[in-house]
Amino acid sequence: MLRSDFLPLPAWPGAGGAGLSGAAVASAARLPQLPATTPVAAETAVYTPLGQDVAREVQQFISQGSGGAALASPQARWLALQAARQAARSERSKEGLSATGGVRSAAAAVGAAASLQPSQQAFLDRIAPWAQQAAQRLGVSPRAVMAHAALESGWGQRPVRDALGQDSLNLFGIKAQGGWAGASTPALTTEYEAGQAVRQTQSFRQYADLDATFGDYVRLLAHSPRYQAALRTGDDVQAFASGLAAGGYATDPDYAQKLVRISRQIPSP
């Protein structure tokens, strides 16, 4: 026998071979497929007689499956133990890699939701169905549309109101210009002139319901040449916001960045 046949082997923890798959054992042992009844020719053998016995025992364990007979020899049990450890390390590595993306995206969504106040979340829940439909028609992210409405209406807490104090449902701050023939109401607003904020009274459109609100919003952006750069920007909220600012949607020089900052608080629907 070779010296390696007498190396001390670690003790087997528990019943021999229990819970191990044949594939895992074969991977660690790197053994050829040897029929248990076929003798190995002396001129081609690469194992010592003890090694041949171990190979046959492991091969029999593989063919019977992990539910078969236990591995009797300490050498075979040691090989099976190494296979189990190797398989466990490989499985943990795969699980860690596959979970990385999901953990990151879930953490981002949880962080965004945690930054919202209850009134802000209620506003998003209220407008979500219309925002998603509008976003689909404009080719942009629903988060971009919801962020735009939140910016212009103060998360629904500072709506444009008529003379009776009624909500005009003008969530996007659209002025009664460009041939608008519908209802309108005057309201105080902030405009920027030469970089300075100036309070002015201007006329704003008034709507009967959210269907009319979002329908008019889609028509304005889709049909105006000024806002074509904002359309079909997909999930790129920065491109959407920059397209609106470049088209002159607002006079605030920080308008695009304000919209983007709000969008980061909104989890993806």
Side-chain angles (χ1 to χ4, degrees):
M1 292 185 181
L2 299 178
R3 183 179 301 273
S4 61
D5 289 335
F6 296 95
L7 289 176
L9 298 171
W12 176 250
L20 300 176
S21 68
V25 174
S27 173
R30 297 291 192 274
L31 298 174
Q33 301 291 325
L34 296 176
T37 57
T38 303
V40 179
E43 64 272 16
T44 61
V46 292
Y47 302 104
T48 64
L50 178 58
Q52 295 174 19
D53 292 340
V54 171
R56 290 192 182 94
E57 185 178 356
V58 173
Q59 182 60 47
Q60 183 178 9
F61 175 80
I62 294 173
S63 64
Q64 293 178 349
S66 57
L71 296 169
S73 69
Q75 291 87 353
R77 293 201 301 272
W78 182 82
L79 286 174
L81 175 60
Q82 303 314 303
R85 289 173 174 171
Q86 179 180 348
R89 285 194 297 268
S90 176
E91 188 63 26
R92 284 196 299 270
S93 176
K94 291 178 180 178
E95 289 176 355
L97 289 174
S98 63
T100 300
V103 168
R104 287 177 179 171
S105 60
V110 169
S115 68
L116 292 174
Q117 299 176 7
S119 60
Q120 294 173 331
Q121 185 61 58
F123 174 73
L124 296 179
D125 293 341
R126 175 191 173 202
I127 68 171
W130 290 275
Q132 291 174 1
Q133 293 175 12
Q136 185 175 14
R137 294 172 63 183
L138 296 172
V140 303
S141 166
R143 289 172 59 240
V145 175
M146 288 190 281
H148 198 189
L151 174 60
E152 285 287 349
S153 69
W155 295 89
Q157 300 303 302
R158 297 192 304 274
V160 175
R161 296 188 181 277
D162 63 18
L164 299 177
Q166 298 297 313
D167 188 345
S168 68
L169 296 179
N170 189 335
L171 299 179
F172 298 97
I174 303 176
K175 297 182 177 68
Q177 300 171 350
W180 173 254
S184 63
T185 183
L188 194 62
T189 185
T190 300
E191 301 293 344
Y192 287 79
E193 298 178 356
Q196 299 297 316
V198 179
R199 298 289 283 173
Q200 300 177 356
T201 297
Q202 297 199 20
S203 183
F204 289 85
R205 301 182 184 186
Q206 193 168 3
Y207 304 101
D209 51 41
L210 291 180
D211 281 336
T213 300
F214 283 86
D216 190 45
Y217 174 70
V218 169
R219 283 190 296 272
L220 174 67
L221 297 191
H223 298 158
S224 174
R226 296 165 53 188
Y227 305 124
Q228 293 306 299
L231 306 182
R232 295 174 292 279
T233 51
D235 292 331
D236 191 343
V237 179
Q238 178 68 66
F240 172 76
S242 297
L244 291 179
Y249 195 95
T251 56
D252 184 347
D254 297 324
Y255 192 79
Q257 292 312 310
K258 288 179 180 179
L259 197 158
V260 170
R261 282 195 296 269
I262 289 177
S263 75
R264 291 173 180 157
Q265 296 179 254
I266 302 174
S268 297

